[in-house]
Amino acid sequence: LSAGGDPVGLSTTQAATIPEIQAPLDRMQAKEEAKYEKYGELAKAKMAVQAALMWNWVYNPVEAGPFAPVCRSWDYAQGNSDRAWGYVMFDWDTIFASYMLSLDAKELAYSNLIQVIRAKTVDGFVPNFSVGPHKTTLHSQPPVGSKVLLEIFRRHGDVWIVELLFDDLLGWNDWFISKRTGCGGSGEAANLICLGGEDMQNAKYESGLDNSPMYDGDFFDAARGQMQLYDVGMTSMVALDAESLAALA
């Protein structure tokens, strides 16, 4: 701080001079800036991504730990009377944030990943979005959690986080095989994934590509709760999820 051109320092530990207060701050700044050196030409991009993630980093006692919602201004909490408590966790957005955090802040990555995976529904899948007990109950998003957990494990080697989340992730993959294959067909095509949900719009949301022209039109089987379209992209992600689970096992 400065007052009339002269610096003013505040210390929460003991009486200290301005140089004594400034010195540890300078050391920590240098330590933080040194982390970006390994990114070379992408150092500024890393700084920007990290700044955005940490701006979104919040804690809400409804969840078991801090996390990074997709956006601070999105509030899906029902009956919320105070915007300071508002938030929403989207499935794969939050999981990707865990991967980015894991580059050099594994504790934050772990907390973030735990909150989104443990937000699973009673049917065993990670919902499209979640705000405490309020969450989607019939549609999910691409199951990228196992792949991200695998990459985090390869980087940091902590077995406990795999043991904690493995069964939840396996249940999510099983749910996709149980609820999203078939699409009314038979033979080998019946093993491909179809997007689903309450209606056509929510099936689009399950893709994670909400406004993609791939899903323009109305070809939804309400009785099956499935879009009548074999989705090669989602099938590939479910297959990658299964492969990642096998590697984690």
Side-chain angles (χ1 to χ4, degrees):
L1 301 175
S2 63
D6 296 323
V8 176
L10 301 177
S11 174
T12 60
T13 57
Q14 61 186 10
T17 64
I18 295 298
E20 290 172 337
I21 293 174
Q22 187 65 48
L25 297 177
D26 290 341
R27 288 196 299 270
M28 293 306 296
Q29 181 175 350
K31 182 179 178 180
E32 180 65 24
E33 291 177 349
K35 294 179 180 179
Y36 304 124
E37 293 177 0
K38 62 183 178 181
Y39 298 100
E41 294 180 353
L42 296 176
K44 289 186 177 180
K46 170 62 167 68
M47 293 175 68
V49 169
Q50 180 171 311
L53 276 172
M54 296 314 298
W55 169 251
N56 282 337
W57 192 250
V58 300
Y59 171 71
N60 190 307
V62 174
E63 304 296 340
F67 56 96
V70 66
C71 178
R72 274 195 176 193
S73 61
W74 285 12
D75 177 7
Y76 281 32
Q78 293 187 338
N80 183 35
S81 59
D82 186 344
R83 288 191 67 250
W85 295 93
Y87 72 99
V88 59
M89 285 192 298
F90 284 95
D91 164 356
W92 74 336
D93 307 79
T94 307
I95 294 172
F96 286 143
S98 297
Y99 178 78
M100 290 187 284
L101 287 164
S102 74
L103 296 178
D104 47 26
K106 71 174 184 177
E107 292 82 4
L108 304 188
Y110 291 163
S111 181
N112 197 57
L113 192 60
I114 290 168
Q115 308 324 312
V116 64
I117 301 302
R118 284 298 176 88
K120 68 178 186 177
T121 70
V122 293
D123 291 323
F125 69 92
V126 177
N128 180 280
F129 75 81
S130 173
V131 185
H134 175 51
K135 60 194 69 181
T136 57
T137 57
L138 292 175
H139 66 284
S140 186
Q141 268 191 334
V144 296
S146 299
K147 176 61 174 174
V148 167
L149 178 59
L150 177 59
E151 294 305 316
I152 292 176
F153 174 72
R154 285 171 171 168
R155 177 174 289 113
H156 298 295
D158 292 321
V159 175
W160 71 266
I161 188 69
V162 177
E163 294 176 338
L164 180 68
L165 297 178
F166 185 87
D167 288 345
D168 298 317
L169 292 166
L170 178 60
W172 189 14
N173 188 273
D174 287 343
W175 178 85
F176 264 101
I177 300 302
S178 172
K179 300 296 185 180
R180 293 295 184 261
T181 54
C183 200
S186 59
E188 292 184 357
N191 294 320
L192 298 178
I193 299 295
C194 303
L195 299 170
E198 301 90 320
D199 50 34
M200 185 66 180
Q201 182 58 65
N202 283 298
K204 292 179 181 180
Y205 288 154
E206 187 165 83
S207 72
L209 308 173
D210 302 354
N211 302 311
S212 172
M214 289 191 295
Y215 308 117
D216 285 351
D218 190 0
F219 34 91
F220 187 80
D221 184 336
R224 297 181 64 88
Q226 290 180 340
M227 193 183 293
Q228 295 302 283
L229 173 73
Y230 293 120
D231 196 299
V232 175
M234 183 65 91
T235 299
S236 299
M237 283 188 280
V238 172
L240 176 62
D241 186 66
E243 184 180 67
S244 299
L245 284 165
L248 287 166

